[in-house]
Amino acid sequence: MTAELSPIDKAKFVAARRAADYVQDGMRVGLGTGSTAAWLVRCLGEMVREDGLRFRGVPTSSRTAALAREEGIDVVGLDEARWLDLTIDGADEFDTELNLVKGGGGALLQEKIVAAASDQMVVIADAAKEVAHLGAFPLPVEVVPFGWRTTQALVTETLEAMDVLGREITLRMNGSQPFVTDEGNYILDLHLGRIGNARQLAMVLNQMPGVVENGLFIDICDTVIVGHGDGRIEIRDINAGTVSEDRIDFVEDDNLFRDLGD
C-alpha cells in the first residue's frame, strides 16, 4: 500500500499521524483543510473507530466536514464549541519563525478564525513547504464580490509601497467562473515572489475596504511537524524553542491506504 504513495504523500502521512497524537479524549479540535489535513482526519477517524478516541471536531471547510463525518468524527460548529483546545492544519509555506501562508484550498477565512480561537495551533507539512522568506506561493486574499475589481486596484496600488518582488494579481477561477469560498466571497491570488515584511503586509491588506481576510498567519502557529518521505519527523516548537525528531514506520496493511479519495 505505502509503496504506491509518492514520497510527498508519505511525508504528509507521517506528519499527520504524529499530529494525531496531540488529540486527547474530550478535546475540541479544529480540523484543517487540504491534502495534508485530509490525512489527519483519516488518522483521527481510525483512532475513533479502533481506539475509542472521543473528541469534537470543528472543520474549517465543508470539504473537511464531509470527510470527518465519513470517518465517524463528532462534528460541531465553532459557535457550539466556543473555544478550542487545539487546531491542526496544513500550510502552503512556513518560515523559520513559523509564520505561514495559507489558503491554497480557498478556506483561509474559516481556517484563520478557527486557529485564532484555539489554545494551540499545530501545522503539519512536508519539508518542501519550508522557505527562507514567505511569498513564493501566491498569497490568497479573500474579498467580497461587490466591487472586486476596485478592491484589486486598491491592492495593486498598495503593493507599490510594500517590500515585495512581484505585484501580479489574479482572480482565482473555477473553470470559467470565479472561485467562490464557503462564505460566498472571491479570492485574489497575489504573486509576490518574496515578502519582505509579512506582518506589515497583513495589517495593510486587512485595512482595505472590500478585503475580508488574507492568507498570512502571523504569530498564530505554535508547532510545526515536518514529515519526510522516509518516515522521519521533525517537531519544531516556537514557544519552547526546541526541535525534536521522531520516526514512523509504515505499515503495509494500514486501513488508511484503502479507498483513498485524494
Side-chain angles (χ1 to χ4, degrees):
M1 297 291 184
T2 55
E4 300 174 1
L5 295 178
S6 69
I8 290 294
D9 282 334
K10 289 181 179 180
K12 292 177 179 179
F13 166 69
V14 296
R17 174 70 88 182
R18 181 63 180 84
D21 293 337
Y22 282 69
V23 180
Q24 301 177 9
D25 277 327
M27 277 189 168
R28 294 160 293 181
V29 181
L31 303 175
T33 297
S35 59
T36 310
W39 282 113
L40 169 75
V41 174
R42 293 189 185 98
C43 290
L44 291 174
E46 182 184 52
M47 293 167 70
V48 166
R49 294 187 300 272
E50 299 187 4
D51 303 329
L53 176 67
R54 292 293 176 264
F55 71 99
R56 289 186 289 172
V58 177
T60 57
S61 70
S62 57
R63 285 169 291 160
T64 298
L67 178 60
R69 291 189 179 98
E70 289 175 7
E71 292 290 333
I73 295 171
D74 183 13
V75 173
V76 299
L78 183 58
D79 286 337
E80 181 179 346
R82 302 291 296 273
W83 193 261
L84 307 181
D85 300 287
L86 172 69
T87 286
I88 306 176
D89 204 347
D92 298 306
E93 287 184 338
F94 69 91
D95 64 15
T96 56
E97 297 180 350
L98 305 196
N99 293 316
L100 319 170
V101 169
K102 289 179 51 58
L108 66 143
L109 176 58
Q110 292 189 23
E111 288 173 339
K112 189 174 282 191
I113 291 173
V114 168
S118 305
D119 288 334
Q120 183 182 15
M121 182 186 189
V122 174
V123 163
I124 47 180
D126 58 86
K129 301 297 174 59
E130 182 175 9
V131 295
H133 299 280
L134 300 177
F137 191 91
L139 174 65
V141 177
E142 188 159 342
V143 300
V144 297
F146 176 80
W148 71 266
R149 293 184 185 277
T150 300
T151 303
Q152 178 176 346
L154 288 171
V155 173
T156 299
E157 181 179 353
T158 298
L159 289 178
E160 294 292 332
M162 295 291 103
D163 182 10
V164 296
L165 287 181
R167 296 180 177 84
E168 179 187 356
I169 301 176
T170 57
L171 176 68
R172 188 175 301 185
M173 302 296 290
N174 182 14
S176 61
Q177 299 297 318
F179 175 89
V180 178
T181 70
D182 281 353
E183 299 300 320
N185 297 314
Y186 293 170
I187 289 184
L188 299 176
D189 285 314
L190 279 54
H191 304 265
L192 306 177
R194 177 185 179 276
I195 301 172
N197 190 332
R199 188 184 308 275
Q200 179 190 44
L201 179 59
M203 292 177 60
V204 169
L205 287 172
N206 280 5
Q207 290 175 349
M208 294 183 189
V211 171
V212 180
E213 189 53 82
N214 70 83
L216 287 166
F217 284 52
I218 310 298
D219 298 333
I220 295 178
C221 176
D222 299 286
T223 303
V224 168
I225 300 177
V226 183
H228 298 266
D230 60 0
R232 290 182 298 116
I233 302 164
E234 294 179 10
I235 304 170
R236 306 183 190 182
D237 187 320
I238 194 69
N239 299 313
T242 59
V243 178
S244 58
E245 295 186 358
D246 200 351
R247 176 180 289 274
I248 290 179
D249 294 324
F250 295 109
V251 180
E252 291 297 328
D253 62 350
D254 199 309
N255 291 331
L256 291 173
F257 300 108
R258 299 177 185 169
D259 301 325
L260 294 181
D262 283 358

